[in-house]
């Protein structure tokens, strides 16, 4: 199941997530949904705050195509050597920035079955692990880049969210208007049905029918007179 992805400006992305206390079927289902969500969005990693849940778990599919689930992860070692890489994030669509981070990391975590593991990673995998782990502490990659760019991007998303809120409000108002119109139409329909059963109305319709019949007969009478001439 594909979940909604939270966007920059939403509080949950800025909160420090709490540890997962129990690794059960719900957590495993959540991890599967996160893989679905990430794949649908062409991502390589997704952290729980990005689906609105402030808990310490993220999922990754790096360039080796392995599905990895990290629960309550801890980066226990980072290399001295750093490297640059252009990062993006599903919570900041259409934004990219070159970020400098340690080249290698060692991470300890639990997998989806609650089994502890230690992973030494470098390259692309190390990059994603650090990016996703940051999400669990309310840190976004733009926080690690140029502060002016971060401020500009934050402002841009704020405006985007405001526009989206305005659109949602207009849509809601339109729905309410349609509901009012539908109610009024239903009321008129009921009125019409009630009127059709009203004896006075029935009499008026009978009178109208009689008038129509008289008019028809009158035409025939006139026709007869004309015919005689
Ligand atoms: Ni991200």
């Amino acid at each position: 199941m594909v979940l909604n992805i939270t966007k920059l400006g939403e509080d949950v992305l800025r909160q420090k997530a709490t540890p997962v206390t129990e690794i059960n079927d719900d957590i495993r289902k959540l991890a599967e949904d996160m893989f679905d969500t990430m794949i649908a969005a062409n991502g390589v990693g997704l952290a729980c705050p990005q689906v609105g849940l402030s808990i310490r778990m993220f999922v990754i599919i790096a360039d080796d195509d392995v599905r990895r689930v990290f629960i309550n992860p801890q980066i226990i070692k980072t290399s001295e050597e750093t490297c640059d890489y252009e990062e993006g994030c599903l919570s900041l669509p259409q934004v990219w920035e070159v970020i400098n981070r340690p080249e290698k990391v060692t991470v300890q975590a639990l997998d989806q079955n609650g089994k502890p593991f230690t992973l030494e990673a470098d390259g692309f995998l190390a990059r994603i692990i650090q990016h996703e782990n940051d999400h669990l502490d309310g840190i976004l990659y733009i926080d690690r880049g140029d502060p002016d760019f971060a401020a500009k991007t934050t402002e841009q998303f704020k405006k985007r969210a405001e526009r989206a809120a305005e659109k949602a409000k207009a849509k809601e108002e339109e729905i309410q208007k349609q509901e009012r119109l539908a109610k009024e139409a239903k009321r008129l329909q009921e009125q019409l049905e009630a009127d059709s059963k009203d004896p006075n109305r029935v009499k008026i319709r009978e009178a109208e029918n009689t008038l129509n019949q008289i008019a028809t007969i009158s035409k025939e009478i006139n026709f007869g007179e004309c015919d005689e001439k």
Side-chain angles (χ1 to χ4, degrees), residues 50 88-91 131-132 135 141:
Q50 294 184 277
C89 179
L90 295 177
S91 294
H131 175 119
E132 300 309 329
H135 272 301
Y141 75 89

Side-chain angles (χ1 to χ4, degrees), residues 4 7 11 19 21 38 48 55 60 63 71-72 87 89 96 106 118 124 135 138-139 152 154 156 176 180 192 228:
N4 263 336
K7 300 286 168 359
D11 291 342
T21 49
M38 187 185 93
C48 274
I55 54 172
I60 286 177
D63 42 4
I71 297 169
N72 300 338
E87 293 189 28
C89 179
W96 295 271
T106 305
T118 304
F124 194 44
H135 272 301
I139 298 167
K152 210 181 85 192
T154 303
Q156 188 190 328
Q176 282 172 0
R180 272 202 309 277
L192 194 66
E228 268 174 28

